[in-house]
Amino acid sequence: MIFGVPLQALLGQLLLGLINGAFYAMLSLGLALIFGLLNIINFTHGALYMAGAFAAWLVLTYLGIGYWGALLLAPLAVGLFGMLLERFLLSRLYKLDHLYGLLLTFGLALVIEGGFRQLYGVSGMPYPVPKELQGGWNLGVMYLPIYRGWVVVVSASVCLGTWLLVEKTKLGSYLRAATENRALVQAFGINVPMMVTLTFGFGVALAALAGVLAAPIYSVNPLMGSNLIIVVFAVVVIGGMGSMGGAIITSFALGLVEGLTKLLYPEAASTIIFLVMAVLLLVKPAGLFGKER
Amino acid sequence: NHKVKIGVLTDMSGPYSDLAGQGSVMAAQMAIEDFGGKVNGWPVELVSADHQSKADIASAIARKWYENEEVDAIADLVTTAAARAVREVAKEKGKVDLDSGPGSLPLTNDWCSATGFHWTYDNYATAGGTATAVIKQGGTSWFFLTADYAFGHDLQAQAERVVKANGGSVLGSVRHPFPSSDFSSFLLQAQSSGAKIIGLANAGNDTINAIKQANEFGITKNGQSIAGLLVFITDVHSLGLETAKGMLLTTGFYWDFDEGTRAFAKRFGARMNGKMPTMVQAGVYSSVSHYLKAVQQANTTEGIRVADKMREIPINDFFAKNGKIRADGRMVHDMYLAEVKAPAESKGPWDYYKILRTIPGDEAFRPLSESTCPLVKK
Amino acid sequence: MAVAADYIVETRDLTKEFKGFTAVSGVSLRVRRHSIHALIGPNGAGKTTCFNLLTKFLVPTSGRIFFNQRDITHAQPAAVARLGMVRSFQISAVFSHLSVLENVRVALQRRRGGYFHFWRSDRILDQLNDQVMDLLQSVGMTGDVHRLAGELSYGRKRALEIATTLALDPEMLLLDEPMAGMSSEDVLLIAALIRRISANRTILMVEHNLNVVAELSDRISVLKQGRILAEGTYQEVSNNPEVVEAYMGSPDD
Amino acid sequence: MTEAPVLLKIDDLHAHYGESHVLHGLSFDIPQGEVVTLLGRNGVGKTTTLRCIMGMVGQRRGSILFAGKQLIQMASHQIARLGLAYCPEERGIFSSLNVAENLLLPPVVQAGGLSLQEILSLFPRLQERAGSQGTKLSGGEQQMLAIARILRTGARLLLLDEPTEGLAPVIVQQIGEIIAGLRDRGFTVLLVEQNFRFAQRLADRHYVVEHGRVVDMIRKDQLSVSAEKLRSYLGV
Amino acid sequence: MGGLWGKRERLAMLLLLLLALVAPFLVYPVFLMKGLCFALFASAFNLLLGYSGLLSFGHAMFFGFAAYVTAHMGKVWGVNPEWAILGGVVTAAALGLLTGWLAIRRTGIYFAMVTLAFAQMMYFVAIQAPFTHGEDGIQGVPRGRLFGFIDLGESLTLYYFVLLVFVASLWFLNRVVQSPFGQVLKAIRDNEQRAISLGYAVNRFKLLAFVLSAAFSGLAGSMKCQVFQLASLADVHWHSSGEVVLMTLLGGIGSLMGPAVGAFLVVSIENYFAEAGAWVTIIQGGIFVFCVLLFRAGIIGTLSQWLKGLYSGVGKA
Ligand SMILES: Nc1ncnc2c1ncn2[C@@H]1O[C@H](COP(=O)(O)OP(=O)(O)OP(=O)(O)O)[C@@H](O)[C@H]1O
Ligand SMILES: Nc1ncnc2c1ncn2[C@@H]1O[C@H](COP(=O)(O)OP(=O)(O)OP(=O)(O)O)[C@@H](O)[C@H]1O
Ligand SMILES: [Mg+2]
Ligand SMILES: [Mg+2]
């Protein structure tokens, strides 16, 4: 017994927390990447996560392409869309205060969500768990649906891959440097606009991938991403801006903390992250893994 | 300069826009058309607006309509906070409000008014109706997943009342933040409580996600059952029958109940891309036509006098048989206990419910004697 | 703790470590009142760090700092400035969205007081404009009064920085490479200015322009790898072979 | 003295910042393999000229020919890829990168640059501080880093904006030797300098800039006869 | 620049004021009052963002809690509106002092996130505390009699009261910006290190600005409660914090009228497009996108740049 809770139940809850952390990780990674790049909170992130889930549903319903195809197609399509957004809209704002990017992405999020809502209503669409991943394992502490296990595996590997890409190649340096002084980085011979577009597309594709993963678990619904952004961004900040590893680790850790809260004081489950953030930022000014400038 | 103007104030962009929203506007419009578009020679106009489920926006629009745009009655008013805000304004202005969307009991109790009506359902009826039926089938021990806001608390309280009155037991409950998307943790707690029934005291997407995930975690396969205390047909549509089959619920209307409902649903569907009306939307039709009838008979649009007339005449349409409005503003009509069909039983889209029982109005709704509405003479 | 009154600043065993790297180690420095004292040394010797320690922008790892016989080891940076020890920055620090005039005026305002008065009009600040013009004249910037500081060329920013620092009329002035990036003409102007204002002030400056150092300073401390390597007049220091090797290099022409 | 072929030819260059017109038809040539300086008072437009060459000033017109290619419409990353590198006067060290990352940031655009080994032996200080955050370096160390990082890229034309600023005299001497060495290896250098004594010893020719125009050109061998003229231009 | 307004600006202000005086006879007054409340909110927010460079993402807590306190005092304690409003303002200022004291230690995005975190905690309090009545909010707050004898139940009377409060507050906020204090604030925003080296204890300036901004946001919340007779969760939700950021950006950061214009634009969209039903949010989003792309420095900022261009063009000719 810990906190008056049987150990069994506690373990089960922690496991669930970890699974939620996997979602946070996919979303926060993309968001962190984009924030690191453009210094704006990409408010379309939640909407594009939703768009990813919808893309999966659409290709299933209209083209008969199932989950596995969607896993590839949806991020590709949404990533491409993101690249268009960046090229034709966001890129016009780089000379202005970063805040205007916030206004733009917020407006876009409203339009995208509104559009899907007009077309498909708000109750959501059912999306089946792929046959290969149906069923579950009895772990003793709990019954774990295979699909949730799969989500953790995908998320962990995507996170690792992204982390390696950004931290272990020069891409990371270019991105960080370009945030500070675009003009100079470009004067070193790096095609910054192209790099920004591609990175933006990649970050958005990660959101869409998370959307596809979420589709069988949650209902595919135009509002599914609307409140997500603020929590996920909090995760990014707690991890430390500019630290991909930080975002990943924090995602999983906060998933656990949240899971524990759901058990002990469920009403506060959606507030706990902010409590953690306030306390942490007052103690560690640049988040867990961020560097102070 | 005489005319009758009706406003439909509803959620058009938020979580309740499918169960009310544009469909409610359509229902109101059909009611007006069916009335011939005129009452005693006065043209009937319709306006509509989105309150985004926010009390302040609802209040602002209601005020503008009543004060400035000669709106005589406002219908739908889904979500309690919005209904409450409009109720305050309507009371002050002596104008009519026809609540079809919200479910909270105080609308006909502490907040009741002479010109305010609660039409389609309330938590007492849906939660109570479902809980009674579930208990009768042997679901005696309960665990609640409750959305942590007044509406959720109220749903839980209504169900608990019935459970306890029928000798059942409540093994626990968990209040989850509203809205939530992941319920696995709460479901696990419900599972380990060992309760036979998991009561969902929430609505809309919360309910949908909870049911979906209960399925995913094999909870329903392991002998526990889910009881949704407020489920709309749009929720079932979104869940799919595979997930929702066998669930019991209480509703104020089902489109495939009899000739009248089918006729209405067919016309409605033709204009709404084949969607079938929810109980809220059907209720909007019913409340608006009843209002128009009262205006016709009272020969005025003056709030109090129309309201009195509304109480006087019984309601008889496809929605309600011999419905009547009580002093506290409650429109009493029969409710239905339904079970969600299995996929094999369903003949096509929207063929979702088996009606198990008609719950007579006086049993379904809280007795007038228990009302705390000051208008009720005791 | 007797500190001779003719020293305005004194440090005792001042040490600063950054994560295992010692930038300043055991520096005991004394600056005589009303003198021009130069701090020179190779790049990365710890000169700017010393400035940061003196003005409390950094907290020393160990050692103590006295200003006018007062222990300021634990004071706040703004408080140190108010006590009369003000610094300029090596890498230009101007208020780039304020005009040149406002830049200097903000400094004057600090002396004038009333800067918390949020209910009064800033027109009362116009009284300060004459003083501002005098200061700008002294650094040769009267032509740029109403330009935004951010639009100035690099050298002009440096000049503005000096004017702003002077505006506080501090008892003790710390100048970090005041002439860097200035054209030769301005170097002469600023050198003359420093000479002029040093009459009743103390100046501690870091400068790599040896002509200026030779010309202006009464006393020189040479820093190397965080330690004081030598101290004395320009003559003494420039004849010290260690200093020549570490800093000055082979004398040119 | 036979003229080397012209590597960079600037003709009638104009530049604006918003509404202010900064360069007014500036023209000059840089022969291949020479060290050329731009001299002038503060604010005359020297830095702006370098930024124009690199394509970093939004509003520019005129002609900038580099090895026969017109640069005026090119994006700055394309310009850099042709073999030009720029060391800005405010140094432009990135605070989110450490010293080593800063050093390795500019991609190598051509073969023939200095190797990392060579660079670190020239500036041992950078090796010692390799793990430190870039902007935590001392002013002079940052200056060294800014110069060092473009030496790696192999660019044939180096644009150095006040490279000796903030450096100790020994290091200044060393930089002088490096630049001379680069010239010997066939590099071309455009230098903006306030330290005339430094420039004097290195440069093959000096252009004097006033109000956004080149007003005079003085060859190395004419310096002694032009001393008076220079004094009037620069106050040296 | 500077505190002196040109003749043209003064004339424009005078015209605006005149317009405001006759507006309730042309436009529905409650709509105008809502606009004024949000205009005040955005202006108060702009004091912080536009002049101290601090982006708060938690201003809803001041707005919302002031509304709750005003509602509670007016409804439950039955005090006169002036006291209820004062109560709201004092609450907001106190909350501002407390949260600001902690938050100003951080800058940039970290500041934004700390304020957001506090606001989310206050949101939690608003959900859980009994006196706020959860998602129903405090409804049916009496408008009451100002000073005991001016009946605010009259929409027109209330309108002029709100207008008076708004104009006075805007004047005051503008004064703060163009005061010796405001000058230092701008300097700190530009270069904090330099301001410290000049001897300014920058945290006190930031804190004072934060508290002033909080207090006036509170005033806006209290006035809104007075107008709509309710205080609800929506006011404390992070959407409100976000909305005020959007309003300010839309109108133009750091200009006197910008935030007010932005606020009126957003409120008008909500009001006039409410009947477009589900399209409201799409239209709203579209307008945001359109405005950012067209008016790149906010509506007022861009307009004044155009005008300047026109004048200087004329001047040169
Ligand atoms: N905040 C810091 N963190 C880590 N190292 C630092 C920090 N500040 C300075 N240093 C290191 O301390 C050493 C001394 O730096 P300082 O700026 O005092 O040198 P300096 O004598 O002023 O040199 P210069 O003449 O080049 O300006 C340098 O090696 C620098 O990298
Ligand atoms: N971003 C800018 N906006 C407006 N004007 C600018 C900007 N940058 C430079 N200027 C102006 O352009 C002119 C030329 O500046 P530039 O930096 O090229 O001068 P410089 O010759 O390099 O001077 P210095 O020797 O001081 O570095 C100056 O008058 C300067 O004020
Ligand atoms: Mg230094
Ligand atoms: Mg320059």
Side-chain angles (χ1 to χ4, degrees):
Chain A
M1 297 282 268
I2 299 174
F3 308 124
V5 181
L7 190 62
Q8 284 245 318
L10 195 67
L11 284 178
Q13 295 294 347
L14 291 181
L15 191 58
L16 288 174
L18 212 61
I19 296 172
N20 280 333
F23 275 109
Y24 286 150
M26 302 268 295
L27 288 167
S28 65
L29 207 56
L31 204 61
L33 211 55
I34 292 172
F35 184 88
L37 191 65
L38 305 175
N39 235 326
I40 55 166
I41 306 177
N42 174 25
F43 265 89
T44 57
H45 216 70
L48 294 174
Y49 158 77
M50 176 273 291
F54 255 99
W57 179 81
L58 286 171
V59 294
L60 179 68
T61 313
Y62 295 108
L63 305 176
I65 299 175
Y67 181 81
W68 303 105
L71 218 44
L72 195 71
L73 279 181
L76 219 61
V78 175
L80 213 64
F81 175 72
M83 281 163 37
L84 293 180
L85 283 187
E86 196 282 334
R87 215 350 85 94
F88 292 106
L89 298 177
L90 272 170
S91 64
R92 294 158 161 264
L93 303 182
Y94 292 150
K95 293 206 182 77
L96 307 179
D97 194 317
H98 299 303
L99 282 175
Y100 285 94
L102 188 148
L103 187 56
L104 183 84
T105 52
F106 191 87
L108 282 172
L110 287 182
V111 173
I112 297 171
E113 276 175 3
F116 275 99
R117 194 185 59 226
Q118 280 311 72
L119 292 171
Y120 304 105
V122 295
S123 310
M125 309 295 177
Y127 190 91
V129 175
K131 256 196 232 74
E132 297 83 347
L133 300 174
Q134 277 170 3
W137 297 300
N138 203 333
L139 300 185
V141 292
M142 63 177 280
Y143 172 89
L144 179 71
I146 293 177
Y147 188 78
R148 297 239 174 184
W150 159 252
V151 168
V152 176
V153 172
V154 175
S155 158
S157 25
V158 169
C159 287
L160 188 70
T162 310
W163 180 74
L164 287 176
L165 181 71
V166 173
E167 298 285 326
K168 298 294 159 200
T169 67
K170 264 172 114 181
L171 179 65
S173 303
Y174 291 154
L175 292 176
R176 272 177 281 157
T179 340
E180 270 183 65
N181 191 343
R182 254 178 105 85
L184 188 58
V185 174
Q186 194 161 359
F188 286 150
I190 293 154
N191 190 345
V192 176
M194 172 88 105
M195 180 179 83
V196 169
T197 307
L198 288 175
T199 313
F200 191 87
F202 181 68
V204 160
L206 282 180
L209 182 60
V212 182
L213 289 178
I217 298 185
Y218 310 120
S219 68
V220 177
N221 143 8
L223 304 178
M224 66 194 280
S226 60
N227 274 313
L228 215 62
I229 184 86
I230 207 97
V231 176
V232 174
F233 196 73
V235 171
V236 174
V237 171
I238 295 173
M241 311 283 357
S243 161
M244 293 293 130
I248 298 169
I249 295 174
T250 314
S251 299
F252 285 99
L254 281 178
L256 288 182
V257 171
E258 210 185 47
L260 215 55
T261 317
K262 281 181 176 166
L263 192 62
L264 301 176
Y265 188 16
E267 289 93 329
S270 53
T271 311
I272 186 75
I273 287 187
F274 296 99
L275 183 69
V276 171
M277 179 164 77
V279 173
L280 196 105
L281 286 185
L282 293 175
V283 184
K284 280 206 73 159
L288 277 178
F289 300 94
K291 288 189 199 122
E292 276 175 68
R293 295 230 171 133
Chain B
N1 70 333
H2 233 89
K3 64 179 179 200
V4 184
K5 199 160 171 182
I6 292 171
V8 175
L9 187 52
T10 181
D11 176 6
M12 294 189 169
S13 50
Y16 307 110
S17 50
D18 277 0
L19 65 93
Q22 205 53 46
S24 290
V25 181
M26 183 55 67
Q29 187 168 342
M30 287 167 69
I32 294 169
E33 283 168 15
D34 291 353
F35 218 85
K38 279 196 163 69
V39 179
N40 296 346
W42 308 324
V44 185
E45 277 179 31
L46 179 68
V47 287
S48 65
D50 181 11
H51 61 44
Q52 300 175 22
S53 294
K54 288 184 190 159
D56 55 340
I57 296 185
S59 159
I61 294 174
R63 204 172 269 283
K64 184 174 74 168
W65 277 356
Y66 284 142
E67 272 181 5
N68 221 37
E69 300 188 358
E70 300 176 336
V71 168
D72 302 298
I74 301 183
D76 191 332
L77 296 168
V78 69
T79 74
T80 304
R84 166 85 201 275
V86 173
R87 172 65 57 87
E88 291 290 340
V89 181
K91 211 193 272 188
E92 183 192 318
K93 305 279 165 203
K95 302 271 191 168
V96 172
D97 63 276
L98 308 162
D99 303 349
S100 183
S104 285
L105 279 171
L107 285 169
T108 52
N109 288 282
D110 295 353
W111 313 333
C112 74
S113 95
T115 52
F117 301 94
H118 200 181
W119 210 264
T120 305
Y121 73 102
D122 62 25
N123 295 346
Y124 186 99
T126 57
T130 308
T132 313
V134 170
I135 280 221
K136 283 195 184 132
Q137 294 189 345
T140 45
S141 60
W142 287 62
F143 187 95
F144 289 100
L145 294 196
T146 306
D148 188 25
Y149 65 126
F151 177 76
H153 301 170
D154 192 35
L155 269 179
Q156 181 186 344
Q158 297 310 326
E160 257 189 75
R161 173 183 59 79
V162 175
V163 171
K164 290 195 175 132
N166 289 288
S169 60
V170 177
L171 299 183
S173 69
V174 52
R175 288 184 172 181
H176 66 79
F178 164 78
S180 285
S181 57
D182 186 69
F183 288 85
S184 49
S185 167
F186 308 125
L187 288 166
L188 205 65
Q189 294 177 45
Q191 191 175 30
S192 56
S193 76
K196 289 183 189 157
I197 304 297
I198 300 172
L200 300 181
N202 48 24
N205 285 321
D206 282 356
T207 310
I208 294 176
N209 276 325
I211 295 174
K212 249 190 129 166
Q213 291 165 26
N215 237 23
E216 188 195 353
F217 278 84
I219 285 176
T220 31
K221 284 197 199 99
N222 288 344
Q224 285 180 307
S225 305
I226 301 279
L229 300 179
L230 177 56
V231 176
F232 295 94
I233 196 164
T234 39
D235 300 339
V236 175
H237 183 68
S238 158
L239 278 166
L241 291 182
E242 189 51 54
T243 315
K245 67 180 175 223
M247 190 167 60
L248 293 180
L249 57 93
T250 306
T251 182
F253 169 84
Y254 179 52
W255 69 271
D256 199 14
F257 183 69
D258 60 19
E259 277 316 307
T261 58
R262 272 190 290 274
F264 172 72
K266 205 175 155 207
R267 287 168 54 216
F268 181 90
R271 298 176 177 208
M272 292 294 295
N273 281 328
K275 281 187 198 144
M276 291 296 111
T278 61
M279 64 167 152
V280 170
Q281 292 156 347
V284 167
Y285 179 98
S286 171
S287 63
V288 169
S289 16
H290 188 68
Y291 172 78
L292 292 176
K293 198 181 284 173
V295 170
Q296 185 179 42
Q297 296 192 9
N299 199 19
T300 173
T301 54
E302 205 246 308
I304 298 282
R305 284 169 53 202
V306 178
D308 286 347
K309 195 47 110 190
M310 286 173 74
R311 285 193 169 79
E312 237 171 66
I313 44 184
I315 296 118
N316 265 310
D317 54 18
F318 71 83
F319 179 81
K321 301 280 163 310
N322 276 321
K324 56 179 188 292
I325 299 172
R326 302 193 308 211
D328 59 359
R330 174 75 253 162
M331 200 281 268
V332 179
H333 60 99
D334 296 347
M335 299 287 289
Y336 310 98
L337 180 71
E339 185 188 320
V340 178
K341 290 182 175 174
E345 298 168 273
S346 168
K347 286 194 281 294
W350 301 98
D351 179 17
Y352 295 154
Y353 293 171
K354 274 183 292 198
I355 300 297
L356 301 180
R357 178 171 114 83
T358 298
I359 308 169
D362 290 327
E363 178 191 330
F365 292 99
R366 177 150 105 172
L368 193 58
S369 57
E370 288 174 27
S371 176
T372 56
C373 171
L375 298 173
V376 178
K377 291 180 198 74
K378 297 226 165 118
Chain C
M1 44 150 271
V3 181
D6 43 341
Y7 291 109
I8 183 165
V9 163
E10 171 164 2
T11 69
R12 292 193 195 149
D13 270 333
L14 204 54
T15 298
K16 178 70 194 175
E17 288 171 16
F18 298 108
K19 288 187 202 133
F21 171 82
T22 312
V24 171
S25 90
V27 167
S28 297
L29 186 74
R30 293 206 286 187
V31 180
R32 194 178 289 275
R33 199 179 294 281
H34 302 323
S35 70
I36 301 183
H37 193 127
L39 199 56
I40 62 174
N43 297 114
K47 305 179 293 294
T48 303
T49 308
C50 271
F51 271 27
N52 283 333
L53 290 171
L54 287 175
T55 50
K56 305 302 306 153
F57 275 71
L58 288 175
V59 181
T61 313
S62 65
R64 304 175 70 181
I65 307 168
F66 296 89
F67 177 64
N68 272 334
Q69 280 91 288
R70 229 169 116 162
D71 189 340
I72 57 162
T73 315
H74 301 288
Q76 290 297 309
V80 171
R82 285 197 295 270
L83 285 175
M85 175 150 63
V86 178
R87 67 176 303 186
S88 71
F89 287 81
Q90 180 173 4
I91 293 170
S92 280
V94 294
F95 303 117
S96 44
H97 292 92
L98 302 188
S99 70
V100 167
L101 178 123
E102 286 170 323
N103 261 271
V104 179
R105 210 168 59 180
V106 163
L108 283 173
Q109 220 184 314
R110 225 275 288 127
R111 244 169 71 207
R112 180 185 159 276
Y115 36 81
F116 274 115
H117 291 181
F118 57 78
W119 56 91
R120 300 184 67 171
S121 165
D122 58 3
R123 255 171 275 175
I124 52 171
L125 297 177
D126 291 344
Q127 307 160 355
L128 301 174
N129 288 1
D130 289 344
Q131 261 171 291
V132 174
M133 294 309 286
D134 287 347
L135 282 160
L136 288 177
Q137 172 131 43
S138 68
V139 296
M141 285 194 69
T142 38
D144 298 318
V145 180
H146 292 294
R147 296 189 65 181
L148 286 187
E151 296 176 356
L152 294 177
S153 78
Y154 191 82
R156 305 271 82 186
K157 280 183 191 156
R158 308 296 329 238
L160 174 59
E161 168 118 15
I162 291 176
T164 309
T165 311
L166 285 183
L168 290 176
D169 193 19
E171 202 182 339
M172 165 109 198
L173 211 61
L174 307 180
L175 301 175
D176 201 348
E177 302 194 25
M179 322 288 192
M182 283 193 188
S183 65
S184 348
E185 209 177 9
D186 285 346
V187 169
L188 299 178
L189 183 74
I190 302 292
L193 176 66
I194 292 179
R195 163 75 61 212
R196 188 148 31 97
I197 58 169
S198 71
N200 47 3
R201 276 192 197 78
T202 314
I203 293 171
L204 177 62
M205 79 177 173
V206 172
E207 184 54 64
H208 288 303
N209 187 333
L210 287 182
N211 294 336
V212 173
V213 174
E215 149 94 22
L216 284 180
S217 44
D218 301 314
R219 198 172 172 77
I220 297 173
S221 302
V222 186
L223 224 53
K224 189 194 164 194
Q225 294 186 345
R227 293 175 188 281
I228 293 189
L229 179 71
E231 235 171 2
T233 62
Y234 185 76
Q235 273 314 320
E236 291 163 7
V237 168
S238 61
N239 288 325
N240 180 332
E242 269 186 289
V243 175
V244 171
E245 210 236 284
Y247 181 65
M248 297 189 174
S250 54
D252 41 62
D253 37 345
Chain D
M1 189 173 163
T2 51
E3 283 279 318
V6 172
L7 181 65
L8 185 82
K9 182 171 183 59
I10 294 186
D11 203 21
D12 195 29
L13 183 63
H14 290 260
H16 298 255
Y17 289 111
E19 290 185 356
S20 61
H21 192 169
V22 177
L23 299 185
H24 304 260
L26 175 131
S27 313
F28 67 94
D29 300 342
I30 304 177
Q32 167 93 47
E34 282 196 7
V35 174
V36 172
T37 64
L38 291 182
L39 301 175
R41 294 190 166 90
N42 291 135
V44 294
K46 306 180 296 289
T47 298
T48 308
T49 307
L50 300 195
R51 289 169 53 86
C52 278
I53 298 173
M54 289 311 296
M56 298 168 79
V57 176
Q59 298 159 273
R60 57 181 190 269
R61 68 193 144 79
S63 155
I64 305 174
L65 280 176
F66 173 76
K69 288 202 190 64
Q70 182 55 262
L71 305 187
I72 200 85
Q73 298 286 359
M74 267 190 215
S76 60
H77 66 272
Q78 294 166 319
I79 297 176
R81 293 277 168 186
L82 294 176
L84 287 86
Y86 170 56
C87 172
E89 67 190 322
E90 72 290 340
R91 296 159 188 153
I93 302 303
F94 298 100
S95 74
S96 50
L97 306 182
N98 67 25
V99 172
E101 288 168 328
N102 264 291
L103 188 58
L104 296 176
L105 185 79
V108 172
V109 293
Q110 279 169 6
L114 271 58
S115 72
L116 193 58
Q117 283 314 321
E118 284 176 279
I119 290 173
L120 289 178
S121 64
L122 286 173
F123 302 106
R125 197 71 199 158
L126 298 182
Q127 172 106 55
E128 288 163 34
R129 311 289 297 130
S132 172
Q133 187 185 336
T135 44
K136 291 271 162 80
L137 289 184
S138 84
E141 289 165 345
Q142 291 189 31
Q143 186 69 61
M144 296 179 211
L145 178 55
I147 299 171
R149 70 177 167 196
I150 63 167
L151 297 180
R152 249 187 79 247
T153 64
R156 279 184 293 160
L157 175 59
L158 302 179
L159 312 178
L160 305 178
D161 201 346
E162 307 200 17
T164 65
E165 194 219 293
L167 292 179
V170 257
I171 309 285
V172 173
Q173 281 177 8
Q174 199 188 331
I175 299 276
E177 287 157 21
I178 294 174
I179 293 178
L182 287 171
R183 177 178 43 198
D184 296 342
R185 289 167 67 165
F187 285 77
T188 309
V189 178
L190 173 58
L191 191 65
V192 170
E193 236 339 310
Q194 294 293 358
N195 184 346
F196 180 66
R197 300 211 295 159
F198 171 78
Q200 184 183 18
R201 264 178 298 138
L202 269 179
D204 300 300
R205 61 174 76 195
H206 305 272
Y207 288 103
V208 180
V209 186
E210 263 181 14
H211 298 298
R213 281 188 193 90
V214 170
V215 292
D216 207 345
M217 191 265 275
I218 300 167
R219 285 178 199 278
K220 189 173 188 153
D221 45 11
Q222 297 164 343
L223 267 178
S224 45
V225 278
S226 312
E228 193 51 40
K229 242 193 330 188
L230 266 178
R231 194 184 323 275
S232 77
Y233 287 135
L234 307 172
V236 239
Chain E
M1 232 171 291
L4 288 173
W5 281 359
K7 252 190 197 153
R8 274 197 195 84
E9 279 87 346
R10 278 192 216 201
L11 198 68
M13 284 292 157
L14 207 67
L15 278 177
L16 266 180
L17 194 64
L18 272 178
L19 194 68
L21 285 174
V22 298
F25 300 99
L26 309 171
V27 184
Y28 178 55
V30 176
F31 159 69
L32 289 172
M33 290 190 274
K34 183 176 180 188
L36 288 173
C37 291
F38 278 100
L40 176 56
F41 187 21
S43 302
F45 175 79
N46 186 39
L47 177 68
L48 205 58
L49 177 61
Y51 300 99
S52 326
L54 292 172
L55 170 67
S56 157
F57 220 92
H59 257 47
M61 65 179 150
F62 310 125
F63 186 74
F65 265 82
Y68 275 134
V69 169
T70 302
H72 189 78
M73 287 175 78
K75 185 173 176 181
V76 181
W77 299 351
V79 303
N80 283 344
E82 70 273 14
W83 291 111
I85 292 170
L86 189 70
V89 173
V90 170
T91 309
L95 201 56
L97 190 67
L98 192 74
T99 53
W101 185 71
L102 291 167
I104 51 157
R105 286 142 207 266
R106 300 288 163 261
T107 50
I109 194 72
Y110 296 107
F111 175 82
M113 294 315 272
V114 171
T115 46
L116 171 70
F118 286 132
Q120 289 295 90
M121 288 186 242
M122 290 312 288
Y123 182 70
F124 182 68
V125 171
I127 292 181
Q128 301 295 336
F131 96 100
T132 58
H133 297 283
E135 90 281 7
D136 291 338
I138 307 178
Q139 304 215 10
V141 180
R143 279 181 178 170
R145 290 168 174 274
L146 190 64
F147 307 119
F149 64 92
I150 304 173
D151 184 7
L152 294 183
E154 271 298 311
S155 268
L156 221 52
T157 320
L158 183 62
Y159 173 79
Y160 286 114
F161 172 57
V162 175
L163 183 65
L164 182 76
V165 171
F166 172 76
V167 171
S169 306
L170 203 64
W171 176 84
F172 183 81
L173 286 170
N174 187 46
R175 168 44 60 85
V176 172
V177 168
Q178 308 204 325
S179 70
F181 171 73
Q183 193 74 26
V184 179
L185 217 51
K186 284 181 233 170
I188 293 174
R189 175 194 58 187
D190 259 14
N191 194 332
E192 191 168 327
Q193 292 299 312
R194 185 59 176 148
I196 295 175
S197 80
L198 294 180
Y200 289 113
V202 295
N203 277 354
R204 293 198 203 157
F205 288 84
K206 289 191 195 171
L207 184 58
L208 180 54
F210 193 87
V211 171
L212 283 173
S213 174
F216 278 90
S217 302
L219 180 58
S222 293
M223 298 306 286
K224 188 192 163 200
C225 165
Q226 196 64 35
V227 173
F228 288 110
Q229 303 177 266
L230 61 85
S232 72
L233 268 186
D235 294 338
V236 217
H237 196 263
W238 70 265
H239 280 172
S240 287
S241 298
E243 202 161 50
V244 76
V245 180
L246 298 180
M247 288 171 175
T248 309
L249 286 174
L250 211 53
I253 313 175
S255 62
L256 171 64
M257 289 308 291
V261 169
F264 264 95
L265 183 65
V266 172
V267 170
S268 309
I269 299 172
E270 266 172 16
N271 192 59
Y272 289 107
F273 290 103
E275 291 164 25
W279 288 97
V280 188
T281 57
I282 301 184
I283 294 172
Q284 196 172 10
I287 289 178
F288 288 169
V289 172
F290 180 77
C291 282
V292 187
L293 296 178
L294 189 69
F295 304 104
R296 311 176 106 215
I299 296 173
I300 289 292
T302 309
L303 281 184
S304 71
Q305 271 170 20
W306 282 350
L307 286 180
K308 237 189 234 159
L310 273 182
Y311 290 147
S312 65
V314 171
K316 273 177 202 153

